[in-house]
Amino acid sequence: MISPTLRAIFLMLLGLPILVAIALLAPELWIVSAGWIAGVSALIAVDTLLGASVRHYSAKVSLPPLLYVGSADDMQLDLEFAEGPLPARIEIQLETNALLGTQAPQGLRGWDGRNRPHTISVTPSRRGVAKVVRLWSRWQGPLGLIQKRHIQPFDLDVPVTPNVRWVRDEAIRLFSRDAEFGIKTQIERGDGSEFDALREFSSGMDRRAIDWKHSARHRHLLAKEFKTERNHNIVFAFDTGRLMSEPLGGVPKIDRAVTAGLLLAYVSLRNGDRTMLYGFSERPGLNSGFLTGTSSFPKAQAMVAELEYSEDEANFTLALSNLGAQLQRRSLIIIFSDFVDTISAELMLENVKRLTDRHLVLFATFEDAALSQMADAPPDTAQDVARAVIADTLLAERDVVFRRLQRLGVQIIETTPEAFSAELVSRYLQIKQRDML
């Protein structure tokens, strides 16, 4: 890169032929032109020499080890001039790849000694690898006649994973009540149908739990105490096709589904169940096998980060047939998917029916807020009326598909993204409590 001083000298040399031409054609203008050009050149040279030096400038960036989808994180910049004068204002722009979006230029003033720390907040929109390419910096001389530019290459990569920070916080909230009672999870006792112990019957207990044989033997009423069964198979089937790759509230649907799935995976692993992660679009993709114990949660986190976004339609026939062939015992299969109308859902219904013959299927999807808004919008114009009729028709077709799924014995979750995770965990606990597996 050519320094500003050399650039100024180069421009002056380019102006020499013009001065020679003026001296030959109009000698009377020579003195005026030469004086004016010499004065401007002198001011530019002074501004160049008095301005902050490019050679003494450096920039460093500190990145977090991981970034999370839809969550804001800070990157720390440290600008430094080793020696020489400091610019009154420096303008910077961080160049990143599309995963982090375009960072707007920012003007900075004020220095802490010879350093200028600065924080840049970034919010990844999708999973993948975020790249911090380089930092562009520029500042003016004290006279404002020149501008110096510096390019600091970084070429740093940061993986962007599902938002497990929220999963960790939510899991702590769910299990915080266990601290008073030791390590045993409170939701295990009193639910399910697996016998745990006998205890003396007291008022308020379910009379159906009385063990009459043991009560007669001990000559006072004893009741059975049950606990939630363990070691069930929980399968998370993520549709990564075109519909699930579309954004919902600025975040792809599949990323919202993955976040909710990770929360339930942690809960189920802690409850002693076995979890399996399965991804598919036009063909089967991710297959983690069954994981056990909370120690395997980091592996689950790393594997779902590899789920790819696809622009193809999901092939339910191939994906669900392949999944069913791998399951040797009754399992809870949670399908995270979406559909538009009855035609696009027809193949899904046929293949889900095969799974329900042996497994319990839970279909989890998001409410289509856009359709609901169009259907409920005031009919101010003819276009509004037509839009509302079409939206209402599509919503009616969604209801038809949901009713058909319910007749097949499929559990359904359709809610907003904000309530999706809580509803998913609640339905899982309800299924366990009712001994549906």
Side-chain angles (χ1 to χ4, degrees), residues 273-343:
D273 290 329
R274 305 164 68 227
T275 64
M276 174 180 175
L277 306 173
Y278 184 76
F280 65 93
S281 56
E282 75 278 8
R283 60 176 59 88
L286 171 67
N287 190 336
S288 68
F290 282 103
L291 308 174
T292 57
T294 54
S295 60
S296 62
F297 181 75
K299 180 180 179 181
Q301 172 192 348
M303 295 193 74
V304 295
E306 299 175 1
L307 286 171
E308 297 182 355
Y309 303 95
S310 176
E311 298 180 355
D312 301 317
E313 297 292 341
N315 188 338
F316 287 97
T317 302
L318 178 59
L320 298 185
S321 299
N322 180 271
L323 175 61
Q326 299 180 47
L327 303 178
Q328 304 301 320
R329 52 178 286 196
R330 180 172 171 82
S331 308
L332 170 60
I333 303 175
I334 306 174
I335 301 176
F336 298 90
S337 185
D338 200 2
F339 58 90
V340 177
D341 49 31
T342 54
I343 298 175

Side-chain angles (χ1 to χ4, degrees), residues 97 99 126-131 156-160:
N97 65 346
L99 207 63
R126 302 166 74 105
R127 286 175 289 104
V129 178
K131 294 183 179 295
L156 300 175
D157 296 340
V158 184
V160 180

Side-chain angles (χ1 to χ4, degrees), residues 382-437:
Q383 187 177 10
D384 292 336
V385 174
R387 189 182 293 113
V389 170
I390 295 173
D392 187 69
T393 301
L394 292 176
L395 288 174
E397 290 190 359
R398 285 179 70 88
D399 291 337
V400 169
V401 174
F402 288 146
R403 286 196 295 270
R404 292 181 61 182
L405 285 171
Q406 288 174 335
R407 286 197 294 269
L408 294 174
V410 176
Q411 300 269 332
I412 295 175
I413 292 179
E414 185 196 20
T415 184
T416 61
E418 294 75 18
F420 191 73
S421 298
E423 180 65 25
L424 189 63
V425 174
S426 176
R427 186 66 61 89
Y428 161 78
L429 297 176
Q430 188 180 83
I431 290 172
K432 297 264 289 185
Q433 181 180 3
R434 295 181 178 180
D435 195 27
M436 301 177 68
L437 287 175

